[in-house]
Amino acid sequence: MFLAWRDLLFAKGRFLLMSMIIALVAFLMTLLSGLASGLIKNNISGLMALDVTNLAFEYNDRPNYRNSMVEREMWEGWRNAEGVVAAEPLGHTMFTARTPEDLPLDDVVLWGVEPGGFLEPDVLLGESLKGPDDGVIISALLANKHGVKLGDVIVLDRVLTKLTVIGITSEQNIGHVPVIYTPIRKWQEATYGPPGGPPPGEVLPDILFDYASVIALQLAPDTDIETVDIAWGTVTMDKQSAYEASSGYKEEVQTVKMIQGFMVVISALVIGAFFTIWTIQRTQEIGLVKALGGSNAYLLRDTMGQALILMILAVGVGTFLAVWLGLSFEQSGKPFMLVKDNIAGSSGLLIVAGLIGSMVSVRLITRIDPIIALGRTR
Amino acid sequence: MGLQVKDVVLELGDGDAQITALDHVSFGVGAGELLAVLGPSGAGKSSLLAVCGGLRHPTSGTVVIGGKPLMAMNDSQLTRLRLQSIGFVFQQSNLISSLTSLDQLLLMVHLAGRRPRKADRDHAMALLNSVDMGHRANRLPDQLSGGERQRIGIARALMTKPSLLLVDEPTSMLDQVRGHQIVALLNEQCHQHQVAAVMVTHDVSMLDAADRSLHIVDGRIQEVAVSATN
């Protein structure tokens, strides 16, 4: 590393310029990582918060929450199957929420859950769903963004169902839409019943209350999922795979991963090009060192060490600046989330890509003939 | 004997383009002796230096440095031999641009796989002082004159206490006065350190400082002479 350090100090301008490019790439990589995590959180934070191991959808080649419809006998069948710790219906319908004065609030996903069941969220403020039948627990996002308070009434567009805010839970979304929780019976009434509820003096038929969207499951590790799926016409996904059933999730993650992948490849190419040009410029000196008795191993160690120093310093600076900026994004409520492991992963990947890129110069170094130190080419 | 070259032939190129750069060349240089090799451009002087320094394998013949024959060595063994037994003095531009004068010498310690200790630094400073460059120890090559760079090159070549010094056109970039000073310094150093030295030059006026000289033309030794001043 003797020559490496001296070169870094001697050719400060060139290395500074290169460091700035790498730092910029690291900066963008970290911001992208934060954006990816933020988008994931913004898309599926509601699902992430669910205390489930699996979700069973109505059988479909491409199951999703909107199209799935399960019957009572299905969730009761699951509930009684071997290895099932708990099974509960979960209703999922998207509505536009309005104030009683008919002012639009926001699109919301209404989740119907069994009051007191394992799907009911912890509330930050207010009470649980065991209270009034028309109670609703809203995502903190809805409360913060639109100033909805405990006791306020939310009206669901189209069906005109009125819900009273009884609790506020953490920021939970699905498909970038805030989730609101209501008792499953209210959800079934809103989803399958007539707009505005049953006509005066009438009750809704019982069959209305035998349907939900999916079955939320808590399974023992050795549960024979396939057999139960066949028996009840469901297709069951583990929690991680069930994220992909959320609209747009898979495409968003793929897009961000693709951008990150391109950036890693671009970094490797840029760094490879830099070290190739740098090696070509140093051909005479490398030949000289070889003529003096420097081995290929020494020169390669030196070059790779130089690349490593450059990458660590530049990536460190770029990442630090991105984290500093990212913290302000997080606080401003943008879909941005800094996750230590992801930042470390993207930084590590960038350093490895840089080292792979710099290895392009390895072949050049090994091929330099020390006779050029004598000023001859043959 | 520091260097023994016996019946060396070096052919370069293939087919019609093949030339005989060295044609049955034989000579020897003892410890503390400075041999000047003269000849016109393209005579084979540099090829001779390359073969003696293990930078080229001769087509036939033997080269022995400090009792070690080079023919049987592979590239990595030759690299090690260059580091341990051969000191090169190149034309003036051949210093590492990012290293100070002192670091040029300490580089040799790093190439040997060691971190320089105080004894190495003292040795390097003593060598710089012996070529009157102690006061320039912390200067970079572009802060030195041509003559000063050549002095640093000589000190660097002696850093590993080699048994053979190979000197390539040491005066080509210098004026007559500085050229004579450098060759005199080389002579002084190779006597002082008892190193066998081969100096390739095209400058006849430098012969006085050498103990012996040989003329090479078209890859063949034409004449061997002992310097009048020695």
Side-chain angles (χ1 to χ4, degrees), chain A residues 334-369:
Chain A
K334 289 187 173 69
F336 192 91
M337 188 168 67
L338 293 166
V339 180
K340 274 186 205 163
D341 288 352
N342 292 356
I343 294 169
S346 67
S347 300
L349 193 65
L350 199 57
I351 290 172
V352 170
L355 290 179
I356 290 170
S358 70
M359 283 173 78
V360 175
S361 62
V362 166
R363 189 172 149 80
L364 286 175
I365 288 172
T366 55
R367 292 179 67 183
I368 292 172
D369 190 337

Short mmCIF file of all heavy atoms in Angstrom, two decimals, chain A residues 334-369:
data_model
loop_
_atom_site.label_atom_id
_atom_site.label_comp_id
_atom_site.label_asym_id
_atom_site.label_seq_id
_atom_site.Cartn_x
_atom_site.Cartn_y
_atom_site.Cartn_z
N LYS A 334 -42.41 12.04 3.60
CA LYS A 334 -42.28 11.46 2.26
C LYS A 334 -42.13 9.94 2.38
O LYS A 334 -41.70 9.45 3.43
CB LYS A 334 -41.07 12.05 1.55
CG LYS A 334 -41.25 13.50 1.15
CD LYS A 334 -40.08 13.97 0.30
CE LYS A 334 -40.33 15.36 -0.26
NZ LYS A 334 -40.31 16.41 0.76
N PRO A 335 -42.49 9.18 1.32
CA PRO A 335 -42.31 7.72 1.39
C PRO A 335 -40.83 7.35 1.35
O PRO A 335 -40.29 6.97 0.32
CB PRO A 335 -43.05 7.20 0.15
CG PRO A 335 -43.04 8.34 -0.80
CD PRO A 335 -43.04 9.59 0.02
N PHE A 336 -40.18 7.54 2.45
CA PHE A 336 -38.74 7.34 2.53
C PHE A 336 -38.42 6.73 3.89
O PHE A 336 -38.93 7.19 4.92
CB PHE A 336 -38.03 8.69 2.37
CG PHE A 336 -36.55 8.56 2.14
CD1 PHE A 336 -36.04 8.50 0.86
CD2 PHE A 336 -35.67 8.49 3.21
CE1 PHE A 336 -34.68 8.37 0.64
CE2 PHE A 336 -34.31 8.37 3.00
CZ PHE A 336 -33.82 8.31 1.72
N MET A 337 -37.61 5.69 3.90
CA MET A 337 -37.28 5.05 5.17
C MET A 337 -35.83 4.54 5.12
O MET A 337 -35.48 3.76 4.22
CB MET A 337 -38.23 3.87 5.45
CG MET A 337 -38.05 3.29 6.84
SD MET A 337 -39.37 2.16 7.31
CE MET A 337 -39.10 0.81 6.20
N LEU A 338 -35.03 4.99 6.06
CA LEU A 338 -33.64 4.54 6.13
C LEU A 338 -33.58 3.25 6.95
O LEU A 338 -33.99 3.24 8.10
CB LEU A 338 -32.77 5.62 6.76
CG LEU A 338 -32.62 6.91 5.93
CD1 LEU A 338 -32.06 8.03 6.77
CD2 LEU A 338 -31.75 6.66 4.72
N VAL A 339 -33.11 2.19 6.31
CA VAL A 339 -32.97 0.91 7.00
C VAL A 339 -31.47 0.56 7.00
O VAL A 339 -30.86 0.48 5.94
CB VAL A 339 -33.77 -0.21 6.28
CG1 VAL A 339 -33.62 -1.53 6.99
CG2 VAL A 339 -35.23 0.19 6.18
N LYS A 340 -30.93 0.39 8.21
CA LYS A 340 -29.47 0.19 8.35
C LYS A 340 -28.96 -0.94 7.45
O LYS A 340 -27.96 -0.78 6.74
CB LYS A 340 -29.14 -0.17 9.81
CG LYS A 340 -28.94 1.03 10.70
CD LYS A 340 -28.47 0.57 12.06
CE LYS A 340 -28.83 1.60 13.11
NZ LYS A 340 -28.78 1.07 14.46
N ASP A 341 -29.64 -2.08 7.51
CA ASP A 341 -29.17 -3.24 6.74
C ASP A 341 -29.17 -2.95 5.24
O ASP A 341 -28.24 -3.35 4.53
CB ASP A 341 -30.06 -4.46 7.02
CG ASP A 341 -29.81 -5.00 8.41
OD1 ASP A 341 -28.86 -4.52 9.06
OD2 ASP A 341 -30.56 -5.89 8.85
N ASN A 342 -30.21 -2.26 4.77
CA ASN A 342 -30.29 -1.95 3.34
C ASN A 342 -29.19 -0.97 2.91
O ASN A 342 -28.59 -1.12 1.85
CB ASN A 342 -31.66 -1.34 2.99
CG ASN A 342 -32.76 -2.35 3.15
OD1 ASN A 342 -32.52 -3.52 3.44
ND2 ASN A 342 -33.99 -1.91 2.97
N ILE A 343 -28.94 0.02 3.78
CA ILE A 343 -27.89 1.00 3.47
C ILE A 343 -26.54 0.29 3.43
O ILE A 343 -25.74 0.47 2.51
CB ILE A 343 -27.88 2.15 4.51
CG1 ILE A 343 -29.18 2.94 4.38
CG2 ILE A 343 -26.67 3.05 4.31
CD1 ILE A 343 -29.40 3.92 5.51
N ALA A 344 -26.31 -0.56 4.45
CA ALA A 344 -25.03 -1.30 4.50
C ALA A 344 -24.93 -2.21 3.28
O ALA A 344 -23.85 -2.32 2.67
CB ALA A 344 -24.96 -2.10 5.79
N GLY A 345 -26.05 -2.83 2.91
CA GLY A 345 -26.05 -3.74 1.76
C GLY A 345 -25.73 -3.02 0.47
O GLY A 345 -24.87 -3.46 -0.30
N SER A 346 -26.39 -1.87 0.24
CA SER A 346 -26.15 -1.16 -1.03
C SER A 346 -24.75 -0.57 -1.06
O SER A 346 -24.09 -0.57 -2.10
CB SER A 346 -27.22 -0.08 -1.26
OG SER A 346 -27.10 0.94 -0.31
N SER A 347 -24.25 -0.11 0.09
CA SER A 347 -22.88 0.43 0.13
C SER A 347 -21.87 -0.69 -0.12
O SER A 347 -20.91 -0.51 -0.88
CB SER A 347 -22.59 1.07 1.50
OG SER A 347 -23.50 2.10 1.74
N GLY A 348 -22.11 -1.82 0.53
CA GLY A 348 -21.20 -2.97 0.35
C GLY A 348 -21.19 -3.44 -1.10
O GLY A 348 -20.13 -3.72 -1.67
N LEU A 349 -22.39 -3.46 -1.69
CA LEU A 349 -22.51 -3.89 -3.09
C LEU A 349 -21.73 -2.95 -4.01
O LEU A 349 -21.04 -3.39 -4.94
CB LEU A 349 -23.99 -3.89 -3.47
CG LEU A 349 -24.38 -4.59 -4.76
CD1 LEU A 349 -24.09 -6.09 -4.65
CD2 LEU A 349 -25.87 -4.39 -5.04
N LEU A 350 -21.81 -1.66 -3.71
CA LEU A 350 -21.11 -0.66 -4.52
C LEU A 350 -19.59 -0.84 -4.39
O LEU A 350 -18.87 -0.76 -5.39
CB LEU A 350 -21.53 0.73 -4.04
CG LEU A 350 -21.29 1.88 -4.99
CD1 LEU A 350 -21.98 1.65 -6.30
CD2 LEU A 350 -21.79 3.17 -4.36
N ILE A 351 -19.13 -1.10 -3.19
CA ILE A 351 -17.68 -1.30 -2.98
C ILE A 351 -17.22 -2.54 -3.74
O ILE A 351 -16.19 -2.52 -4.43
CB ILE A 351 -17.37 -1.41 -1.47
CG1 ILE A 351 -17.56 -0.03 -0.82
CG2 ILE A 351 -15.94 -1.91 -1.25
CD1 ILE A 351 -17.47 -0.03 0.69
N VAL A 352 -18.02 -3.62 -3.66
CA VAL A 352 -17.65 -4.85 -4.38
C VAL A 352 -17.65 -4.59 -5.89
O VAL A 352 -16.73 -5.00 -6.60
CB VAL A 352 -18.64 -5.99 -4.02
CG1 VAL A 352 -18.43 -7.20 -4.92
CG2 VAL A 352 -18.47 -6.39 -2.56
N ALA A 353 -18.67 -3.84 -6.37
CA ALA A 353 -18.74 -3.53 -7.80
C ALA A 353 -17.51 -2.73 -8.23
O ALA A 353 -16.93 -2.97 -9.29
CB ALA A 353 -20.01 -2.73 -8.11
N GLY A 354 -17.10 -1.79 -7.38
CA GLY A 354 -15.92 -0.98 -7.67
C GLY A 354 -14.67 -1.84 -7.75
O GLY A 354 -13.83 -1.67 -8.64
N LEU A 355 -14.55 -2.78 -6.82
CA LEU A 355 -13.38 -3.66 -6.82
C LEU A 355 -13.38 -4.55 -8.05
O LEU A 355 -12.33 -4.77 -8.67
CB LEU A 355 -13.36 -4.52 -5.55
CG LEU A 355 -13.05 -3.75 -4.26
CD1 LEU A 355 -13.09 -4.69 -3.05
CD2 LEU A 355 -11.70 -3.07 -4.34
N ILE A 356 -14.57 -5.04 -8.43
CA ILE A 356 -14.66 -5.86 -9.64
C ILE A 356 -14.25 -5.02 -10.85
O ILE A 356 -13.50 -5.46 -11.71
CB ILE A 356 -16.08 -6.44 -9.81
CG1 ILE A 356 -16.33 -7.49 -8.72
CG2 ILE A 356 -16.27 -7.07 -11.19
CD1 ILE A 356 -17.77 -7.97 -8.61
N GLY A 357 -14.76 -3.78 -10.89
CA GLY A 357 -14.39 -2.87 -11.98
C GLY A 357 -12.89 -2.63 -12.04
O GLY A 357 -12.29 -2.66 -13.11
N SER A 358 -12.29 -2.42 -10.88
CA SER A 358 -10.85 -2.13 -10.85
C SER A 358 -10.01 -3.35 -11.24
O SER A 358 -8.85 -3.23 -11.62
CB SER A 358 -10.44 -1.64 -9.47
OG SER A 358 -10.50 -2.69 -8.55
N MET A 359 -10.63 -4.53 -11.16
CA MET A 359 -9.89 -5.74 -11.53
C MET A 359 -9.60 -5.81 -13.03
O MET A 359 -8.78 -6.58 -13.48
CB MET A 359 -10.66 -6.99 -11.08
CG MET A 359 -10.52 -7.23 -9.58
SD MET A 359 -11.56 -8.56 -9.00
CE MET A 359 -10.61 -9.95 -9.51
N VAL A 360 -10.33 -4.94 -13.80
CA VAL A 360 -10.05 -4.87 -15.24
C VAL A 360 -8.57 -4.51 -15.45
O VAL A 360 -7.92 -4.98 -16.39
CB VAL A 360 -10.96 -3.80 -15.90
CG1 VAL A 360 -10.61 -3.60 -17.36
CG2 VAL A 360 -12.42 -4.20 -15.75
N SER A 361 -8.06 -3.66 -14.55
CA SER A 361 -6.68 -3.21 -14.70
C SER A 361 -5.66 -4.29 -14.32
O SER A 361 -4.49 -4.18 -14.66
CB SER A 361 -6.44 -1.96 -13.86
OG SER A 361 -6.64 -2.26 -12.50
N VAL A 362 -6.14 -5.33 -13.63
CA VAL A 362 -5.23 -6.39 -13.18
C VAL A 362 -4.53 -7.04 -14.37
O VAL A 362 -3.33 -7.24 -14.38
CB VAL A 362 -6.01 -7.44 -12.35
CG1 VAL A 362 -5.19 -8.71 -12.17
CG2 VAL A 362 -6.39 -6.86 -11.01
N ARG A 363 -5.33 -7.34 -15.39
CA ARG A 363 -4.78 -7.99 -16.58
C ARG A 363 -3.73 -7.09 -17.25
O ARG A 363 -2.68 -7.54 -17.68
CB ARG A 363 -5.92 -8.31 -17.55
CG ARG A 363 -5.52 -9.16 -18.71
CD ARG A 363 -6.77 -9.56 -19.49
NE ARG A 363 -6.50 -9.73 -20.90
CZ ARG A 363 -5.94 -10.81 -21.42
NH1 ARG A 363 -5.58 -11.81 -20.65
NH2 ARG A 363 -5.72 -10.91 -22.71
N LEU A 364 -4.06 -5.78 -17.29
CA LEU A 364 -3.11 -4.83 -17.89
C LEU A 364 -1.79 -4.85 -17.13
O LEU A 364 -0.72 -4.86 -17.73
CB LEU A 364 -3.70 -3.41 -17.84
CG LEU A 364 -4.82 -3.08 -18.81
CD1 LEU A 364 -5.35 -1.68 -18.53
CD2 LEU A 364 -4.31 -3.17 -20.24
N ILE A 365 -1.89 -4.84 -15.80
CA ILE A 365 -0.68 -4.77 -14.98
C ILE A 365 0.20 -6.00 -15.20
O ILE A 365 1.41 -5.90 -15.36
CB ILE A 365 -1.06 -4.62 -13.48
CG1 ILE A 365 -1.61 -3.22 -13.24
CG2 ILE A 365 0.13 -4.89 -12.57
CD1 ILE A 365 -2.20 -3.00 -11.88
N THR A 366 -0.45 -7.18 -15.21
CA THR A 366 0.34 -8.41 -15.35
C THR A 366 1.01 -8.48 -16.73
O THR A 366 2.01 -9.15 -16.89
CB THR A 366 -0.53 -9.66 -15.14
OG1 THR A 366 -1.62 -9.61 -16.04
CG2 THR A 366 -1.05 -9.74 -13.72
N ARG A 367 0.43 -7.76 -17.71
CA ARG A 367 0.98 -7.85 -19.07
C ARG A 367 2.06 -6.80 -19.35
O ARG A 367 2.68 -6.82 -20.41
CB ARG A 367 -0.15 -7.71 -20.09
CG ARG A 367 -1.09 -8.91 -20.06
CD ARG A 367 -2.21 -8.76 -21.04
NE ARG A 367 -1.73 -8.78 -22.42
CZ ARG A 367 -2.53 -8.59 -23.47
NH1 ARG A 367 -3.79 -8.37 -23.29
NH2 ARG A 367 -2.04 -8.64 -24.68
N ILE A 368 2.26 -5.87 -18.43
CA ILE A 368 3.29 -4.83 -18.67
C ILE A 368 4.68 -5.47 -18.57
O ILE A 368 5.00 -6.15 -17.59
CB ILE A 368 3.14 -3.67 -17.67
CG1 ILE A 368 1.84 -2.92 -17.95
CG2 ILE A 368 4.34 -2.73 -17.73
CD1 ILE A 368 1.48 -1.86 -16.93
N ASP A 369 5.48 -5.27 -19.62
CA ASP A 369 6.83 -5.86 -19.68
C ASP A 369 7.81 -4.90 -19.01
O ASP A 369 7.90 -3.73 -19.40
CB ASP A 369 7.21 -6.08 -21.15
CG ASP A 369 8.47 -6.91 -21.30
OD1 ASP A 369 9.27 -6.95 -20.34
OD2 ASP A 369 8.66 -7.51 -22.37
#
